[in-house]
């Protein structure tokens, strides 16, 4: 059976229940989250995505832990992911991210513990019927509870031991340049370097990057993330009070 037939079998499953009503999935999601992971209340709905969120803190900085659920009534699938970020702007960004300031990963990737997943397994498929869709939601919430929360807890604990992250917060507190001026300088330069932040020559950015790179005894993978981290710290600086 090819991937198309496998998907078709899932979305055409007969269960005898009525069709799911437009907008009804919101109630189904909220009810299941309240029952299974009440620490993540409903946050918002934007552009076809439902957001549930928990906020924790590190050194008086808020860490936004967000569960993203994209629901397609016509396409008959759910796409689900988990994000953790210091910058509240990125709570609503769907792009996957493996940076220091923001991490965002697909839920099924966490569940299967591998990056390459065939398309027929890459989504939570439903048939548009209330019973089957409700059962799929229960599976999704259970996966969030088992794999999503594990990811978020590990990420949160890792931040306490991340010396580059800690150094970045200290540097953030010592920036004195006007936020509007810094934003204008960097955004103007980004256009000149084809929006590759690691190629910036802005003095504030370079100083922050060099001080982060000076943190001793850091593994190669973490050090490679420093240029992006330096930029994301400055972006956080000018976007937040």
């Amino acid at each position: 059976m090819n991937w198309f037939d496998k998907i078709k079998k899932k979305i055409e499953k007969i269960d005898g229940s009525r069709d799911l009503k437009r907008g009804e999935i919101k109630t189904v999601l909220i009810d299941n989250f309240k029952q299974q992971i009440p620490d993540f209340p409903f946050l918002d709905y934007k552009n076809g995505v439902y957001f549930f969120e928990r906020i924790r803190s590190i050194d008086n900085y808020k860490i936004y832990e967000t569960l993203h659920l994209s629901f397609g009534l016509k396409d008959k699938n759910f796409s689900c992911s988990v994000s953790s970020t210091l910058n509240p702007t990125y709570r609503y960004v769907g792009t996957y991210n493996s940076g220091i300031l923001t991490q965002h990963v697909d839920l099924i990737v966490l569940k299967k513990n591998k990056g390459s997943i065939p398309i027929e397994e890459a989504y939570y498929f439903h048939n548009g019927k209330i019973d089957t869709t409700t059962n799929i939601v229960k599976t999704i919430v259970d996966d969030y509870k088992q794999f999503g929360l594990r990811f978020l807890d590990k990420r949160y604990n890792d931040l306490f031991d991340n010396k580059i992250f800690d150094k970045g917060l200290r540097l953030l507190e010592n920036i004195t340049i006007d936020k509007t001026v810094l934003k204008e300088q960097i955004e103007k330069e980004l256009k000149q370097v084809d929006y590759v932040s690691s190629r910036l020559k802005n003095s504030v950015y370079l100083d922050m990057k060099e001080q982060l790179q000076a943190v001793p005894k850091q593994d190669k993978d973490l050090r490679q993330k420093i240029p992006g981290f330096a930029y994301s710290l400055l972006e956080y600086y000018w976007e937040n009070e």
Side-chain angles (χ1 to χ4, degrees):
M1 187 182 296
N2 60 36
W3 65 267
F4 180 81
D5 290 332
K6 290 178 181 178
I7 292 175
K8 187 177 180 181
K9 183 178 179 180
K10 293 177 181 179
I11 66 176
E12 293 182 352
K13 177 182 177 181
I14 298 174
D15 67 18
S17 66
R18 62 172 174 81
D19 291 342
L20 191 69
K21 299 176 182 177
R22 184 170 295 278
E24 188 175 20
I25 193 62
K26 179 179 178 180
T27 301
V28 176
L29 289 170
I30 291 175
D31 288 347
N32 277 273
F33 270 89
K34 281 183 178 179
Q35 293 173 11
Q36 295 297 319
I37 38 179
D39 289 349
F40 286 79
F42 175 69
L43 171 66
D44 208 345
Y45 172 80
K46 290 187 177 186
N47 301 319
V49 183
Y50 296 87
F51 300 91
F52 294 79
E53 184 176 85
R54 173 176 70 184
I55 300 175
R56 292 197 275 189
S57 62
I58 294 178
D59 291 342
N60 297 318
Y61 287 91
K62 291 181 179 179
I63 305 297
Y64 299 90
E65 300 179 335
T66 313
L67 310 179
H68 309 232
L69 297 95
S70 174
F71 171 72
L73 184 58
K74 181 179 179 180
D75 297 335
K76 296 185 178 179
N77 65 49
F78 291 89
S79 177
C80 305
S81 60
V82 185
S83 69
S84 169
T85 184
L86 194 74
N87 191 340
T89 300
Y90 283 87
R91 292 181 296 172
Y92 300 113
V93 175
T95 307
Y96 294 144
N97 196 321
S98 59
I100 296 175
L101 196 79
T102 300
Q103 288 194 7
H104 189 168
V105 64
D106 183 83
L107 179 61
I108 292 179
V109 168
L110 290 176
K111 180 178 181 178
K112 294 183 176 294
N113 195 28
K114 59 182 181 180
S116 180
I117 299 173
I119 188 170
E120 69 271 17
E121 299 177 15
Y123 299 90
Y124 294 89
F125 292 97
H126 64 87
N127 62 357
K129 301 289 185 177
I130 185 65
D131 286 354
T132 293
T133 307
T134 298
N135 287 333
I136 295 299
V137 168
K138 290 179 180 178
T139 298
I140 290 170
V141 176
D142 186 64
D143 286 349
Y144 271 125
K145 187 175 182 180
Q146 185 174 355
F147 304 102
L149 299 195
R150 183 189 303 168
F151 164 80
L152 290 173
D153 287 342
K154 183 180 186 304
R155 150 82 169 167
Y156 182 73
N157 292 330
D158 286 347
L159 288 177
F160 279 100
D161 298 325
N162 190 324
K163 294 181 180 179
I164 291 178
F165 177 74
D166 182 70
K167 179 68 173 180
L169 296 185
R170 305 290 80 80
L171 294 173
L172 192 63
E173 294 165 359
N174 292 322
I175 300 176
T176 58
I177 186 173
D178 180 82
K179 294 182 178 182
T180 303
V181 172
L182 179 63
K183 180 180 180 181
E184 290 177 350
Q185 288 179 352
I186 289 184
E187 289 187 342
K188 181 179 179 180
E189 189 180 348
L190 274 174
K191 294 179 182 179
Q192 300 171 352
V193 296
D194 297 324
Y195 296 94
V196 181
S197 61
S198 59
R199 294 169 58 187
L200 288 169
K201 300 300 181 183
N202 178 274
S203 60
V204 179
Y205 169 78
L206 289 177
D207 179 65
M208 177 171 282
K209 184 174 70 171
E210 289 169 3
Q211 292 197 58
L212 291 171
Q213 289 172 333
V215 176
K217 299 180 180 179
Q218 302 303 307
D219 63 54
K220 181 179 179 181
D221 180 65
L222 197 57
R223 291 182 63 82
Q224 289 178 337
K225 295 179 180 180
I226 286 176
F229 180 48
Y231 173 79
S232 63
L233 282 171
L234 297 182
E235 185 181 44
Y236 172 84
Y237 171 73
W238 71 60
E239 286 185 351
N240 296 275
E241 296 295 330

